[in-house]
Amino acid sequence: MTQALFNNYNRRAIHLVKGEGTTVYDENGKAYLDFVAGIAVLTLGHTNPMLVNAMKEQSEKLWHVSNLFANPEQEKLAATLVENTHLAHGFFCNSGTEANEAAIKLARKHTGKHKMITFLHSFHGRTFGAMSATGQEKVHAGFGPIVETFEYVPFNDVQALEAAVDDETAAIMLEVVQGEGGVNPVSNEFAIAIQRICDEKGILLVVDEVQTGIARTGTKYAWEQTALKPDIVTLAKGLGGGFPIGAMLAKEALFDSFGPGTHGTTFGGNPMATHIAQTVVDYVFTDEFLADVQSKSTYFIQLLNEKLPALEVRGMGLLLGIESPLPVADVIQAAEDKGLLLVGAGESTIRLLPPLNVKRQEIERAVDILVSILG
């Protein structure tokens, strides 16, 4: 039989047909704990009643009008995202890679320079600019010359970063926690050094919060837990709670560099997307919710360290990684057989990305399954 789809994904065999909260069901009725959450997308789990109602409500008003017209909901959402930060303005698009494309364009346009420093094992997307920013050769392979000029430096290596910076450097771009690259958090020393270099040299700092943003790490943005003070921040994944939306935020000083005609999108930030995203952030950007994420993260890490003491656990909030002594694909398959969905990160890391409203009992069940495989 000829297949209609391209074969550009290594798809798993199970066909998921229904979800509620942290639980999903396949076509045979088997239940799974979903600790993939659409790769950090389902901030509040599957078919969250609040988001379902938000979608129904907006669907009876207006879905899409294009950015030719004023959109007060975009203005409101942007104001919410920059509130109580040093950032001032937002741009909305459809995905993380689009947000990173916008950030790359803005950094180059504002500085008039082309060189950007990113890091080995980083991941910023698969369109040409975002792919070129990604410090992984396997992502570049087969596509010919990539966008100039990106220089890839070892992560958390202050000396290597200092050697790479020069007068032609427009920006330094990083993830606070490298997700796809192995759940590698930025060290305190490295964050301090990055900010010092940017301040001293007048270099823009771009922080990719596509996976770490929107409460995933227990604060609104992961950079808030570091010495980093970015000029540009990119968001997506959890922002829409499952509905496609991305965003780029930036400081006041960059406003004039993104005037009419410099960048655009047909679907980005349409009324449906912004209404749903506003519902998400209004709920998760509360002190109570953020404290709950931090508490569950502490509990999760404590359980893993107690029951799998020989294995390294890394990450922040509910973006955690376990260094696996077994092949990652084998662990993922064994967990799936036992009713737990996982995703890998890098060559040897199991990534744990439950919805942020996961229950403690669900965390305990997930740890028990991991122990049965890795213990």
Side-chain angles (χ1 to χ4, degrees):
M1 175 180 168
T2 302
Q3 65 180 45
L5 289 171
F6 274 109
N7 195 33
N8 57 314
Y9 298 107
N10 287 318
R11 298 182 191 272
R12 303 183 197 175
I14 59 172
H15 176 204
L16 302 175
V17 297
K18 180 182 177 183
E20 183 176 355
T22 310
T23 303
V24 290
Y25 302 86
D26 67 18
E27 59 188 341
N28 299 312
K30 180 178 176 179
Y32 304 82
L33 276 177
D34 185 2
F35 273 50
V36 178
I39 314 182
V41 166
L42 296 160
T43 308
L44 297 174
H46 295 269
T47 59
N48 182 278
M50 181 171 57
L51 299 188
V52 171
N53 288 336
M55 183 176 291
K56 288 180 178 178
E57 179 183 67
Q58 187 62 35
S59 71
E60 296 174 351
K61 295 179 180 178
L62 198 63
W63 291 27
H64 177 78
V65 292
S66 103
N67 286 298
L68 294 171
F69 302 95
N71 186 335
E73 288 219 343
Q74 276 194 22
E75 185 66 37
K76 180 183 177 183
L77 181 58
T80 303
L81 292 172
V82 302
E83 187 177 10
N84 297 322
T85 75
H86 64 287
L87 303 165
H89 303 288
F91 162 81
F92 293 106
C93 51
N94 305 287
S95 68
T97 194
E98 288 184 34
N100 285 333
E101 289 283 346
I104 292 165
K105 286 182 67 175
L106 178 57
R108 290 173 62 143
K109 181 79 162 51
H110 184 75
T111 63
K113 300 176 181 180
H114 301 160
K115 178 177 174 179
M116 294 184 68
I117 295 173
T118 60
F119 298 94
L120 295 174
H121 306 298
S122 61
F123 184 82
H124 299 292
R126 294 187 184 273
T127 51
F128 249 89
M131 176 182 77
S132 301
T134 295
Q136 298 189 54
E137 177 58 34
K138 67 180 183 181
V139 177
H140 307 158
F143 296 104
I146 58 176
V147 176
E148 298 179 343
T149 306
F150 289 92
E151 184 169 345
Y152 314 114
V153 172
F155 199 49
N156 287 327
D157 187 330
V158 175
Q159 187 175 1
L161 176 61
E162 289 177 334
V165 170
D166 59 28
D167 292 340
E168 297 305 312
T169 304
I172 297 171
M173 182 176 188
L174 78 154
E175 303 153 272
V176 178
V177 181
Q178 291 185 330
E180 295 288 334
V183 191
N184 306 310
V186 66
S187 69
N188 291 334
E189 178 190 16
F190 199 51
I192 291 168
I194 289 171
Q195 192 60 57
R196 171 181 56 80
I197 290 167
C198 288
D199 291 342
E200 290 176 356
K201 304 289 187 179
I203 294 169
L204 294 180
L205 176 58
V206 181
V207 175
D208 177 341
E209 293 258 12
V210 169
Q211 190 162 156
T212 56
I214 316 299
R216 173 57 58 180
T217 64
T219 47
K220 292 195 296 185
Y221 311 115
W223 63 261
E224 295 175 297
Q225 300 178 51
T226 74
L228 301 171
K229 194 172 182 181
D231 298 280
I232 303 172
V233 173
T234 57
L235 304 167
K237 290 191 181 289
L239 178 57
F243 197 91
I245 184 171
M248 179 190 68
L249 312 178
K251 291 169 66 173
E252 178 65 43
L254 283 77
F255 181 78
D256 290 338
S257 295
F258 238 37
T262 54
H263 196 56
T265 167
T266 297
F267 295 103
N270 67 29
M272 181 69 81
T274 48
H275 183 72
I276 294 169
Q278 187 72 53
T279 305
V280 171
V281 296
D282 283 346
Y283 189 78
V284 305
F285 277 7
T286 63
D287 291 342
E288 181 181 10
F289 188 89
L290 295 170
D292 187 54
V293 173
Q294 293 172 15
S295 175
K296 285 185 287 197
S297 173
T298 300
Y299 182 61
F300 202 170
I301 294 169
Q302 178 186 336
L303 281 180
L304 290 169
N305 286 332
E306 285 178 359
K307 298 193 175 189
L308 294 167
L311 304 184
E312 181 186 2
V313 178
R314 300 186 298 271
M316 296 170 65
L318 292 175
L319 167 52
L320 301 178
I322 304 173
E323 196 66 17
S324 175
L326 303 175
V328 170
D330 293 350
V331 176
I332 289 173
Q333 185 59 59
E336 182 182 301
D337 294 342
K338 293 173 180 286
L340 173 64
L341 301 183
L342 301 172
V343 64
E347 296 181 359
S348 59
T349 305
I350 302 298
R351 196 169 10 164
L352 304 167
L353 296 164
L356 301 186
N357 55 351
V358 61
K359 298 179 175 62
R360 289 191 176 222
Q361 305 95 295
E362 294 169 331
I363 291 174
E364 291 164 1
R365 283 169 51 204
V367 171
D368 287 342
I369 291 172
L370 287 166
V371 169
S372 73
I373 301 165
L374 298 169

